[in-house]
Amino acid sequence: MSLLVLCQQLPIRLYQLRLRLYELEERLDDTLFVRISNSENVNLKKVKNLDLSFVGTICMELSNGDVSYVYRRYVSKIKKLLGL
C-alpha cells in the first residue's frame, strides 16, 4: 500500500510514498508536524488560525486557506503541544 502526500507549497506537489501514515509520522519532526486525524498530519508552521468554539474538536485554518478539523481523539495532544 502506498500513501499519497500533498505538499501545500507553491507549486503544489503530490508525492507517492510507500509508507503508512504512522510510519511517515515517526520520521517527521514531532515539534513541527502533528497528527490531527486518521488521515492527516499538519505542519504547525502552516496553521494560521485555531477555532476552539466547536465542542470537542478544533478547527484549523491553514495559511493556504484550507480548513481541517482535529478529531476528538487528537484534541488533548494538540492542546498540550500548543500549551492551551
Side-chain angles (χ1 to χ4, degrees):
M1 180 177 168
S2 61
L3 174 71
L4 293 177
V5 177
L6 180 62
C7 182
Q8 294 278 343
Q9 291 182 337
L10 294 176
I12 294 177
R13 296 186 184 115
L14 187 64
Y15 299 98
Q16 186 169 2
L17 304 176
R18 297 193 183 279
L19 297 172
R20 299 195 183 271
L21 190 56
Y22 74 88
E23 294 171 324
L24 176 62
E25 186 178 19
E26 290 171 356
R27 294 178 182 207
L28 295 173
D29 182 349
D30 62 354
T31 62
L32 293 177
F33 291 87
V34 65
R35 185 171 230 179
I36 64 167
S37 71
N38 293 336
S39 60
E40 198 170 0
N41 281 6
V42 170
N43 182 344
L44 292 174
K45 286 187 171 185
K46 299 296 182 181
V47 175
K48 180 179 175 183
N49 188 34
L50 294 174
D51 185 353
L52 303 170
S53 64
F54 294 96
V55 177
T57 190
I58 299 172
C59 177
M60 286 186 167
E61 181 184 356
L62 304 177
S63 60
N64 67 351
D66 286 351
V67 174
S68 293
Y69 294 89
V70 179
Y71 282 18
R72 290 177 191 226
R73 71 185 278 190
Y74 299 102
V75 167
S76 62
K77 180 181 175 184
I78 302 291
K79 285 184 174 181
K80 184 178 178 182
L81 185 64
L82 297 175
L84 302 174

